[in-house]
Amino acid sequence: MRWVLPFLIFIFLSELYAKYIGHCLGGTTIKSNYIIGIIESIFYGYVFYTLGRSSLLRKLIRGMIIVSVFCYVVSLFFFSSNPYLLYINLVVSGLILSFISLVYLYSRFLDDNSGSLIEEPEFWIAFGVSIFFSGVCIVFSLHDTIVKNDLSIHGLKLHHFVPRVLSVILYLSISIAIIQCKKKTRISL
């Protein structure tokens, strides 16, 4: 959990920078989105790798995160002018992170030693990641349809609206995890 605050600060500043480039300068945010995707994959991969209890699960997580980061890096350096490839990378990476978080949750459900799982910070991180990235995958995989049919809610394109709503769930889940860690620290003292 010690890396959560630097990660959140990085994400905040990166999103702020992308907003500035996109809205104020009228530039493209593709490269900044690739970098955000790389950092998210590494961070969440590290979290689940650290939490993984079996060596098989850890190997699976490591392999899948390497694939995700490799795809991002190759696309960033060789195909960064293609915005559709960014959406493909976001979908693939989102599927990988959703799969990893759900496999982690499943392994915790199978664990006989676990008490109430919702009292564990790891549950909330896995829950937030699985909800956020699975929803984002669906929306980004339908990007062309959303743009073609001009699908929007409250004046925002669907592929902009849904990630914003799901971000609230993700960061709320991370906040609950932080609170759970704080409670466990107080109890153990």
Side-chain angles (χ1 to χ4, degrees), residues 46-62:
Y46 171 76
V47 167
F48 290 115
Y49 181 83
T50 304
L51 296 174
R53 295 182 179 180
S54 75
S55 62
L56 179 63
L57 179 59
R58 293 177 103 178
K59 287 178 185 176
L60 176 73
I61 291 169
R62 185 180 336 126

Side-chain angles (χ1 to χ4, degrees), residues 36 40-41 79 81 101 111 119 133 138:
I36 290 169
E40 281 181 336
S41 293
F79 306 104
S81 61
S101 63
D111 187 9
E119 294 176 5
F133 285 103
I138 293 168

Side-chain angles (χ1 to χ4, degrees), residues 87 90-91 135-144 146 159-160 163:
Y87 288 113
L90 291 170
V91 169
V136 166
C137 284
I138 293 168
V139 171
F140 287 154
S141 65
L142 297 172
H143 179 265
D144 290 342
I146 292 168
H159 61 274
H160 292 291

Side-chain angles (χ1 to χ4, degrees), residues 106-119:
Y106 180 71
S107 71
R108 288 301 307 267
F109 281 122
L110 293 179
D111 187 9
D112 292 335
N113 298 330
S114 63
S116 179
L117 198 55
I118 63 169
E119 294 176 5

Side-chain angles (χ1 to χ4, degrees), residues 83-94:
Y84 294 107
L85 194 56
L86 173 64
Y87 288 113
I88 292 170
N89 276 296
L90 291 170
V91 169
V92 170
S93 175

Side-chain angles (χ1 to χ4, degrees), residues 71-188:
C71 290
Y72 272 130
V73 169
V74 167
S75 297
L76 173 64
F77 287 112
F78 298 109
F79 306 104
S80 63
S81 61
N82 185 350
Y84 294 107
L85 194 56
L86 173 64
Y87 288 113
I88 292 170
N89 276 296
L90 291 170
V91 169
V92 170
S93 175
L95 287 172
I96 288 172
L97 290 172
S98 295
F99 179 75
I100 288 171
S101 63
L102 290 173
V103 167
Y104 172 76
L105 283 173
Y106 180 71
S107 71
R108 288 301 307 267
F109 281 122
L110 293 179
D111 187 9
D112 292 335
N113 298 330
S114 63
S116 179
L117 198 55
I118 63 169
E119 294 176 5
E120 299 293 325
E122 301 89 13
F123 167 81
W124 289 104
I125 292 174
F127 172 78
V129 168
S130 64
I131 295 295
F132 176 79
F133 285 103
S134 60
V136 166
C137 284
I138 293 168
V139 171
F140 287 154
S141 65
L142 297 172
H143 179 265
D144 290 342
T145 304
I146 292 168
V147 171
K148 180 181 169 186
N149 295 315
D150 194 31
L151 301 176
S152 60
I153 296 177
H154 302 296
L156 284 172
K157 295 278 189 204
L158 203 55
H159 61 274
H160 292 291
F161 179 80
V162 171
R164 289 179 186 181
V165 171
L166 293 176
S167 289
V168 172
I169 295 170
L170 174 63
Y171 295 124
L172 179 63
S173 296
I174 291 173
S175 299
I176 293 170
I178 291 169
I179 292 167
Q180 292 290 346
C181 282
K182 189 78 167 168
K183 285 182 182 178
K184 285 184 174 256
T185 304
R186 284 187 196 153
I187 291 170
S188 65

